[in-house]
Amino acid sequence: MQPELRHLRAFLAVADHGSAYQAGAALFRAQSAVSRSIRKLEAELGVELFERRARGMLLTEYGRALLVRARRMHAEIQRARMDLAAFVDKGASVRNAAIFGMLTHERRVRAFVALTEQHHMPSVAESLGITQPAVSIAVRQLEDSIGVPLFERTARGMMPTPAGVALALRLKRALAEIRHAVADIASLQGITQGTVTVGALPLGRTRLLPESIAGVVAKYPGLRVATMEGSFETLAATLRAGDLDFILGALRPVEYASDLHGEPLAEDALGIVCRRGHPWTKRKRIPAADLAVARWVLPRVHTPNRMLFERALIARGLPSPNVVVETSDLAVLRGVLLNSDLLTAISPRQLSYELASGVVTLLPIPLLETRRVIGITRRTDSLASPGATILMEEIARRSAVILAPMPEKKTAKA
C-alpha cells in the first residue's frame, strides 16, 4: 500500500495551516475535498493523523511521524524541478507541471520510474498490472507537462535521457520516503514490518550479514530482507536512488563522495591462503621472492582485492603475480583452491568456515599494507526505516564477535 501523492499534498497543507478550511484555501480546493483526502489517507494507513478540535486540527503521534517523511518526499520532488532546470532551453524555465505540485497519480510516477529501469513498455505494464497504453499515456503526459524529453527510442528500448535519469533519481527517493512512512507508523503501533534492502560486498557476505539477517527475521517475523550484490560503484548508485537502505562491506575514503557516509565496524587485511597439504604449509620460512614465482587464483583485474594485493607486491619490489585463474566468484575460487596448488590472496573472513574446518590454511605471510575498514555505508542525508535501523544495530552488535581480530600466528618475513 502506497498513499497517493495528492492525499499527502492535502496532509501537508493541513499540517501547515492547522485546519482543512485554511488548507483548502491555500490549495484552491474545497474544504470538503481536503477533508476527504485526509480521511482517505487515514483509512489507508489505519490510524488517525489529526485530532479534530473546535480550534483546528492537531497532529497525532502518527501524524507527526508521517509529517517527517512527507516533508522529505516533498523536498525531493522540489529538487527534481531544480535538477531539470539544467535541461530546458536557455532562457526558459521548467513548467509548473502537475508532478511538482504532487497532483500526478502515484501509479503514473511508478510507470515512469519502472520504464527508466526496464526500458520496455510491455514489461512495465505487466509488472504494474496495467495496460501498455496506460504506460505510454503516463510517460507522454509527464513529458508534455514538464516540457523536456524524458526518453528516446533506441535499439535497446526506451532509454531515459539525462533529464529522465535526473527525474527518476528524485522520484525514486520520494517513493522510498512514502514506503518508509508506512513502516514508521507500523513501528509506532509495535509492529516491525517492511522490506530492508542491503547492498552486500564480499567482506560481509560470509558470516556477518547472513547471521545478522537470521537473527533479525527470527525476532521480527513481519520484516523482509533483500540483498543486492555488485561492485561498490554499482551499489552506491542504487543507494543514491533510494533503492538500497545501506551497503555492508569495505568502506571508501571520505573523499570518495560527500553524499555518502561510512560507519566503521572493524579492520580487515588480506591473507595468503592455500589448500591443506600444500607444499608451502611445511615450510618454516617463505622468502618474498617465492611470491613472484607462485601461481595464483585471484579476482579479476581492477577489483579492490586484486589492486590491494598487487600494491603489496610492488611494496616488496616484486612483479605482478602470475595469475592462472581469474574469478570473483567465491565458490569457483574455493573449488580451484581445494583442487590445485594455486595460492590466493583474500580476506581470511571470506573463507572462515574453510579455515575453521582445516581444509584450507592461512600461510604465515603478513600483508599489513592491505588493511582496510569494514563498515556500513549510507546516504549522508538518509533517514533509516525502523527495519533498517534494527538490522544495522544487529550487524554492529554481531560484528564485535564475528569481526574480532583473528588469532595471530607466528609469521615469517616475506
Side-chain angles (χ1 to χ4, degrees):
M1 185 275 298
Q2 290 283 331
E4 286 287 348
L5 292 178
R6 57 193 175 91
H7 297 327
L8 289 168
R9 178 176 182 257
F11 167 78
L12 282 170
V14 174
D16 288 341
H17 294 280
S19 75
Y21 174 78
Q22 293 182 13
L27 297 175
F28 302 101
R29 293 179 64 191
Q31 177 182 348
S32 59
V34 173
S35 296
R36 281 196 300 273
S37 283
I38 298 301
R39 288 197 298 271
K40 179 68 173 176
L41 192 57
E42 289 178 325
E44 289 176 341
L45 295 173
V47 296
E48 288 192 355
L49 300 172
F50 294 96
E51 293 180 18
R52 278 76 168 174
R53 297 183 179 181
R55 299 175 61 180
M57 298 173 69
L58 300 178
L59 287 165
T60 64
E61 181 184 26
Y62 304 115
R64 290 193 293 273
L66 179 60
L67 182 61
V68 172
R69 294 293 183 182
R71 282 181 172 162
R72 289 174 62 86
M73 174 209 64
H74 181 260
E76 290 293 350
I77 292 175
Q78 298 314 304
R79 291 189 190 106
R81 183 172 188 170
M82 292 187 289
D83 291 346
L84 290 178
F87 302 101
V88 300
D89 294 334
K90 190 173 181 180
S93 59
V94 178
R95 296 177 187 172
N96 189 24
I99 182 63
F100 303 129
M102 296 172 60
L103 293 171
T104 300
H105 197 288
E106 184 258 353
R107 183 173 290 183
R108 291 181 178 175
V109 176
R110 291 192 172 278
F112 162 73
V113 169
L115 190 57
T116 64
E117 298 172 335
Q118 300 180 35
H119 316 307
H120 189 233
M121 282 193 184
S123 300
V124 171
E126 183 178 357
S127 66
L128 295 180
I130 58 179
T131 64
Q132 183 176 337
V135 178
S136 179
I137 291 170
V139 172
R140 185 171 67 250
Q141 289 182 340
L142 195 56
E143 287 184 317
D144 291 345
S145 65
I146 295 174
V148 177
L150 301 175
F151 292 93
E152 57 180 353
R153 292 183 179 273
T154 72
R156 295 178 296 160
M158 298 285 289
M159 304 303 293
T161 63
V165 172
L167 179 60
L169 174 70
R170 293 300 181 183
L171 292 183
K172 287 169 79 172
R173 287 191 181 187
L175 291 174
E177 294 296 342
I178 299 175
R179 185 173 66 250
H180 293 332
V182 176
D184 289 346
I185 289 173
S187 179
L188 291 174
Q189 296 173 300
I191 304 168
T192 300
Q193 64 181 37
T195 299
V196 182
T197 308
V198 185
L201 291 170
L203 289 180
R205 289 181 201 160
T206 305
R207 285 191 60 196
L208 181 56
L209 184 57
E211 291 184 20
S212 298
I213 291 173
V216 164
V217 297
K219 296 176 187 174
Y220 304 96
L223 195 62
R224 301 291 180 266
V225 180
T227 67
M228 182 179 295
E229 294 73 36
S231 68
F232 184 86
E233 289 69 26
T234 299
L235 295 179
T238 309
L239 179 66
R240 290 186 173 100
D243 291 331
L244 285 182
D245 290 285
F246 60 90
I247 299 171
L248 176 63
L251 300 182
R252 269 34 180 190
V254 176
E255 59 270 18
Y256 177 86
S258 60
D259 63 331
L260 300 180
H261 170 68
E263 301 170 11
L265 295 174
E267 279 197 347
D268 184 71
L270 298 182
I272 297 178
V273 178
C274 63
R275 67 171 177 83
R276 178 176 56 195
H278 188 286
W280 282 24
T281 60
K282 300 169 184 160
R283 300 171 62 178
K284 294 182 178 179
R285 184 175 181 277
I286 302 173
D290 286 7
L291 298 179
V293 299
R295 288 154 50 90
W296 300 86
V297 49
L298 292 174
R300 299 183 69 84
V301 176
H302 303 311
T303 55
N305 273 21
R306 178 74 171 265
M307 292 190 291
L308 278 173
F309 181 55
E310 290 185 346
R311 283 199 292 266
L313 293 183
I314 291 172
R316 289 166 166 77
L318 299 174
S320 296
N322 176 18
V323 182
V324 179
V325 179
E326 282 190 328
T327 181
S328 295
D329 188 303
L330 189 59
V332 173
L333 183 145
R334 184 192 298 113
V336 170
L337 205 63
L338 294 177
N339 293 281
S340 73
D341 282 341
L342 300 184
L343 305 178
T344 193
I346 191 172
S347 165
R349 293 189 173 95
Q350 289 182 256
L351 294 173
S352 58
Y353 294 113
E354 291 80 3
L355 286 166
S357 66
V359 296
V360 298
T361 300
L362 179 63
L363 293 174
I365 305 173
L367 297 174
L368 300 181
E369 310 93 326
T370 64
R371 281 179 297 191
R372 54 207 166 152
V373 178
I374 304 171
I376 291 171
T377 300
R378 299 172 56 194
R379 278 189 9 236
T380 303
D381 62 350
S382 67
L383 179 61
S385 68
T389 299
I390 288 170
L391 181 54
M392 287 189 290
E393 289 174 349
E394 183 76 2
I395 288 171
R397 185 181 69 80
R398 290 178 181 266
S399 69
V401 176
I402 296 175
L403 299 183
M406 300 189 72
E408 294 188 5
K409 296 183 178 181
K410 293 182 180 180
T411 57
K413 294 183 179 179

